[in-house]
Amino acid sequence: MITSVLTGIATLALVVLLPRAVGTSWATVGGILGRISLTGIAALTVVWIAGLWAHSFVLAASLPGLSKRRGLTLSLTGSAVANVLPLGGAAGTGLNFAMTRRWGFTSAAFGGFLAITTLINVVAKLGVVAVALALTPLAHSAAALPIGRTGLLLLPVLAALAGVVWFLAGAEAAATTGRALDRLIGVFRRRSALATSLPELRSSILRVCRRGWRPMTLGMIAYLVLQLALLWLCFHLLGVSLPVPVLITGLAVERLLTLITITPGGAGVVEVGTTAALVALGGDPAAVAAGIVLFRGFTYLLEIPVGGVTLGIWLLRDRRRTGGRGRTAVAA
């Protein structure tokens, strides 16, 4: 309870202080946001939904037997929970696990799904950063500065990615990892069989990736392109013009900052950091703040009510399907 209160206060403070952090005011930012029309809101909604639909291809390919509609349901409900709770990513994962079990998937299948989607998301974030750095003109190093300032975030991410690559490199590497974890877990409990289960998990992950790498890759690329299109459209509808390389840099910083889970969904941290990065690249403080607030209104805030409604509908249907009684999931 105390953690939730402190996190809420920190998030609110960061959001309230956002304009002041870049040298403007909410009155000025609000005036710019007032320029957007209902037609503009509708256009943004279409692009936002298209991005979620593209991402559902990634989720469906990562868990064989999962439909794109259910993949979209997992995405929305998991994000809704993650965006309102401190360290909500774990709670969102727990919810998604319960949902997939209701749909008949095994724990092992969900474990592989979680590993694959996490790996794809990390690689996608690093890919956006790489593209942003590649588009940085050599004569103007300022464009790389915002990414450099958030570069410390890459160290643990790269370390984890290297560990995953090593784990997937061979069955012996997976078994070695399992034995090491078994010894560590053995300090706290008597029995663990990760030396056997991790090689099996590795084989399952590789099997799914070999079969579904095309929709995974194309779906994630489409999702990132649509995220960039959403960011561009937010500024365009507000009458703000920013070069595409600058927007890509802003998206790269935003993707990196979402790794920070101090606040739910990185709220406050992402807005302040991304706005500061774009202002450092020459953007007008008030215009940039307005554009980022609008962008995050779709990629963060809107996911809460939409995901909440989606979860409510799912719970209602599940209750009707099971007649109000729980049931045990069967193997997929």
Side-chain angles (χ1 to χ4, degrees):
M1 179 64 180
I2 295 177
T3 302
S4 298
V5 172
L6 291 177
T7 302
I9 293 173
T11 303
L12 182 62
L14 285 169
V15 173
V16 169
L17 294 175
L18 168 61
R20 184 175 298 181
V22 293
T24 184
S25 67
W26 273 114
T28 306
V29 172
I32 296 174
L33 287 172
R35 300 174 185 173
I36 192 166
S37 64
L38 291 177
T39 303
I41 294 293
L44 290 170
T45 302
V46 169
V47 176
W48 175 66
I49 293 174
L52 291 175
W53 181 247
H55 193 254
S56 71
F57 281 74
V58 179
L59 300 181
S62 301
L63 183 57
L66 182 73
S67 67
K68 297 176 183 62
R69 180 179 61 82
R70 285 181 168 176
L72 184 60
T73 299
L74 290 179
S75 178
L76 286 171
T77 56
S79 294
V81 172
N83 289 353
V84 297
L85 296 176
L87 302 176
T93 299
L95 172 63
N96 285 170
F97 172 71
M99 295 173 76
T100 55
R101 290 286 285 166
R102 285 290 191 180
W103 291 331
F105 295 96
T106 64
S107 299
F110 181 80
F113 166 78
L114 183 61
I116 292 170
T117 53
T118 300
L119 178 61
I120 291 174
N121 285 331
V122 170
V123 171
K125 292 177 192 293
L126 296 177
V128 176
V129 172
V131 171
L133 290 174
L135 292 177
T136 301
L138 296 178
H140 301 282
S141 59
L145 185 59
I147 296 179
R149 288 177 175 174
T150 56
L152 290 177
L153 293 173
L154 289 176
L155 297 180
V157 173
L158 290 173
L161 186 60
V164 171
V165 171
W166 182 76
F167 168 79
L168 294 175
E172 183 56 35
T176 300
T177 303
R179 287 192 292 269
L181 291 174
D182 282 340
R183 288 193 293 270
L184 179 62
I185 294 173
V187 176
F188 306 98
R189 50 185 292 187
R190 292 182 179 180
R191 191 175 181 181
S192 177
L194 292 176
T196 301
S197 60
L198 284 188
E200 294 175 353
L201 176 62
R202 169 190 171 273
S203 298
S204 176
I205 290 173
L206 291 177
R207 185 165 55 250
V208 172
C209 288
R210 288 191 188 103
R211 183 165 58 180
W213 69 269
R214 286 186 180 86
M216 291 178 194
T217 303
L218 294 176
M220 183 54 73
I221 291 174
Y223 170 71
L224 292 174
V225 170
L226 287 165
Q227 287 284 288
L228 180 62
L230 182 65
L231 183 61
W232 173 83
L233 189 57
C234 284
F235 284 109
H236 177 73
L237 292 173
L238 295 176
V240 181
S241 178
L242 290 176
V244 172
V246 171
L247 289 175
I248 293 176
T249 300
L251 183 62
V253 173
E254 189 266 349
R255 295 287 85 192
L256 283 177
L257 290 174
T258 56
L259 296 171
I260 299 177
T261 56
I262 298 174
T263 59
V269 175
V270 173
E271 289 82 2
V272 171
T274 307
T275 299
L278 292 176
V279 170
L281 295 177
D284 176 74
V288 167
I292 293 301
V293 166
L294 183 58
F295 177 73
R296 288 283 288 173
F298 280 88
T299 60
Y300 167 75
L301 195 60
L302 188 57
E303 289 182 347
I304 297 174
V306 174
V309 171
T310 302
L311 176 58
I313 293 173
W314 179 81
L315 289 172
L316 182 61
R317 288 181 174 176
D318 182 69
R319 191 174 187 83
R320 288 177 176 174
R321 184 171 58 251
T322 60
R325 299 184 302 272
R327 63 182 178 86
T328 302
V330 296

